[in-house]
Amino acid sequence: GYIYQPIKHEDLLSKIAITGRAGFTLDDNGRLITVMDKPVDCPVGIFNNQNAMSTSVVYDFKPAPSGIVCNFKNEANSNIDEGLRVMMDGEDYKNPKRDIEQASLDLVTNINQVYSLMRYGLATRIYGKNALTWKCGVEGFDIQFGNVIKVSNIPFSLQLTN
């Protein structure tokens, strides 16, 4: 955005920092330092041989697509349906090495946001291929999505999919 009114630099820095869940303060020597509210590895549970009944690891060997063609309503073009082609790095849309998948986003109308979401989708297809699953007792009922847990010393079986 733009600044239309005079503002003190401390207030401006504070407003910028708070957008990233941060702030600033002075250290003992009078230097300006950043204080950030970042995630800390603080597990809500520990799973080991005592509370895990069975475990398995699933790894997907299906190759990621060369790209995605996403259909969306472009707000910059009177909400007309358009297709945006997003390719992996090093891929050519005229001669792809693998398949090009189809996708659609009904509620996203900004082309930059569509591009970012499709690049994220391609990245998760490369880096998010494995999952560790296990059965546990009552301890598992307290875990919510996004919670950090520790897994230690659990023998598991490997399951391969394609």
Side-chain angles (χ1 to χ4, degrees), residues 93-108:
Y93 73 91
K94 294 180 181 176
N95 191 16
K97 298 174 188 165
R98 294 176 299 280
D99 293 336
I100 295 179
E101 293 185 353
Q102 299 290 325
S104 65
L105 292 172
D106 296 331
L107 302 175
V108 181

Side-chain angles (χ1 to χ4, degrees), residues 30 48 68 137:
N48 53 30
I68 299 175

Side-chain angles (χ1 to χ4, degrees), residues 50-126:
Q50 302 299 319
N51 57 10
M53 299 174 194
S54 67
T55 59
S56 67
V57 175
V58 178
Y59 191 83
D60 186 7
F61 283 95
K62 182 179 177 183
S66 290
I68 299 175
V69 175
C70 182
N71 297 316
F72 71 104
K73 294 187 184 301
N74 191 350
E75 67 187 5
N77 195 8
S78 301
N79 288 325
I80 295 175
D81 286 337
E82 290 187 6
L84 177 66
R85 184 183 298 118
V86 180
M87 303 298 290
M88 286 277 198
D89 292 340
E91 286 284 352
D92 180 17
Y93 73 91
K94 294 180 181 176
N95 191 16
K97 298 174 188 165
R98 294 176 299 280
D99 293 336
I100 295 179
E101 293 185 353
Q102 299 290 325
S104 65
L105 292 172
D106 296 331
L107 302 175
V108 181
T109 59
N110 184 291
I111 193 166
N112 294 323
Q113 192 173 12
V114 171
Y115 179 79
S116 297
L117 289 169
M118 292 301 103
R119 287 291 290 182
Y120 176 77
L122 287 171
T124 56
R125 296 287 300 273
I126 294 173

Side-chain angles (χ1 to χ4, degrees), residues 39-54:
V40 178
D41 187 13
C42 182
V44 297
I46 298 175
F47 289 91
N48 53 30
N49 291 336
Q50 302 299 319
N51 57 10
M53 299 174 194
S54 67

